Amino acid sequence: MTSVDKSAPATAVALANPWALVPPLGNLDAYITAVNRLPLLTPEEEQRYARQLREDDNLEAAGRLVLSHLRLVVSVSRQYLGYGLPHGDLIQEGNVGLMKAVKRFDPNQGVRLVSYALHWIKAEIHEYILKNWRLVKVATTKAQRKLFFNLRSMKQGFKVEDATDDITHRDALTAAQVDVVAHALSVKPEEVREMETRLSGGDVLLDPTPADGDGEHAFGPIAWLSDDRHEPTAMLESAERDRLATDGIAGALKSLDERSRRIVTERWLNVNDDGSGGMTLHELAAEYGVSAERIRQIEVAAMKKMKTALAEYA
């Protein structure tokens, strides 16, 4: 590793070895200060490094492209601090998006890397926020994602407009405001209302944590969940299944001839929980002196006859 003269100007150091300006350890403020000191690339330098990466797989050129745009990630990540997630994590995810953009950047398209990378940086940050903002994912479709990242700011805009009318206490969107949001984001009004409901709620633990040091649990929403085991309809259905599994199967077997009944019993009823224990088609074929295909045909016919008998029994 080449040594760097600490007395040299920051710009000269960056040109010689840009990595020297990014501290390996330290707090977030030190990192942001360091990346803001990294020099920007001229269009000609950007084109040269992009071609070196694309044509020669030059990792040093990729590093210079990434380093010169780290300040862009810091700037974009600040726009998402309102979601309550660590700024360092937002920057880290944005850096992942930046590296993806550098890898896919085509210098022949006639656009600057900053314009191309902006999409990838935001995409990675968006994905991180959606996965970590709540325990339960609140946005999955394209329309829901647009609403998730725009609805709160648009509601704030409505509140500012309404401040002159002294109705800033209102939190829910009016029907007219819902239509405005839906038209602006090209989504349906019902999707706006649904996302507003999702954003207004929060995560609630069904099973609460102990309320004290004695291990006693606090009262939680799980106490309100119903027990379906004693619901009348479920109990009747369970009793009917049990009746068909015992008396019904026994009656259906009696409708078969002796050979068919034994084949069905050996193939389906004398089987252990792990799937072992029943006789194979070839074993039954050897016992009855016929082909395995003939045993299979008898089995299929017997099963159809049993289904008819079970339907009549039910």
Side-chain angles (χ1 to χ4, degrees):
M1 179 181 293
T2 58
S3 60
V4 177
D5 184 3
K6 296 183 179 180
S7 62
T11 304
V13 173
L15 292 174
N17 182 15
W19 299 99
L21 289 181
V22 182
L25 296 173
N27 58 33
L28 184 61
D29 291 336
Y31 171 83
I32 294 175
T33 301
V35 299
N36 285 331
R37 293 167 58 197
L38 292 169
L40 297 175
L41 296 178
T42 64
E44 293 75 18
E45 291 173 330
E46 183 179 291
Q47 284 282 315
R48 182 171 74 253
Y49 290 136
R51 294 185 187 283
Q52 289 176 1
L53 172 61
R54 191 173 183 85
E55 297 172 3
D56 305 325
D57 199 21
N58 189 320
L59 295 182
E60 183 179 351
R64 291 184 177 271
L65 290 171
V66 170
L67 285 171
S68 65
H69 289 80
L70 289 178
R71 68 177 69 193
L72 173 64
V73 176
V74 173
S75 176
V76 172
S77 66
R78 288 197 178 101
Q79 303 172 19
Y80 300 94
L81 292 177
Y83 294 97
L85 296 172
H87 191 191
D89 290 350
L90 294 172
I91 292 175
Q92 178 174 281
E93 296 300 321
N95 286 341
V96 173
L98 172 61
M99 288 186 284
K100 289 183 178 180
V102 167
K103 182 178 180 180
R104 293 167 172 81
F105 180 61
D106 184 358
N108 298 319
Q109 293 297 321
V111 298
R112 293 296 302 270
L113 177 57
V114 61
S115 302
Y116 182 74
L118 201 58
H119 163 77
W120 287 95
I121 294 169
K122 288 185 175 181
E124 288 296 322
I125 294 178
H126 286 185
E127 193 66 27
Y128 168 73
I129 293 174
L130 289 173
K131 287 181 178 179
N132 295 276
W133 191 62
R134 289 264 182 88
L135 291 174
V136 179
K137 202 166 187 179
V138 296
T140 53
T141 66
K142 183 179 180 180
Q144 289 174 347
R145 286 170 177 257
K146 285 197 293 185
L147 285 165
F148 179 85
F149 288 106
N150 293 281
L151 185 57
R152 291 199 303 174
S153 61
M154 295 184 74
K155 286 183 69 174
Q156 291 297 325
F158 289 138
K159 288 183 179 182
V160 171
E161 293 176 2
D162 292 341
T164 56
D165 299 330
D166 196 24
I167 52 175
T168 56
H169 62 279
R170 184 178 63 207
D171 291 327
L173 292 175
T174 64
Q177 291 171 342
V178 168
D179 291 337
V180 171
V181 174
H183 182 267
L185 299 179
S186 301
V187 298
K188 299 177 181 177
E190 52 267 28
E191 291 175 323
V192 178
R193 297 189 187 95
E194 180 185 357
M195 181 54 64
E196 185 181 21
T197 302
R198 293 189 181 193
L199 292 176
S200 63
D203 293 325
V204 178
L205 293 177
L206 289 178
D207 193 4
T209 55
D212 50 46
D214 297 331
E216 294 293 332
H217 285 273
F219 194 76
I222 197 170
W224 284 291
L225 296 181
S226 61
D227 186 358
D228 295 333
R229 292 175 298 177
H230 301 294
E231 196 271 326
T233 303
M235 293 178 68
L236 289 174
E237 291 178 351
S238 178
E240 180 67 12
R241 285 194 300 269
D242 292 341
R243 189 170 66 88
L244 288 175
T246 54
D247 299 341
I249 294 293
L253 284 172
K254 289 180 181 179
S255 67
L256 303 177
D257 61 81
E258 183 179 351
R259 182 173 65 172
S260 298
R261 183 164 56 250
R262 183 160 188 276
I263 290 174
V264 171
T265 301
E266 291 295 338
R267 292 281 294 154
W268 294 96
L269 301 180
N270 293 343
V271 180
N272 299 324
D273 293 337
D274 60 357
S276 62
M279 296 181 68
T280 66
L281 292 175
H282 292 283
E283 290 173 342
L284 289 168
E287 180 177 330
Y288 286 104
V290 296
S291 65
E293 175 60 22
R294 178 56 186 156
I295 295 295
R296 190 192 67 80
Q297 293 173 355
I298 295 173
E299 178 187 358
V300 171
M303 295 296 287
K304 289 181 178 179
K305 192 171 184 180
M306 287 184 67
K307 287 181 179 179
T308 302
L310 283 172
E312 293 175 352
Y313 182 82

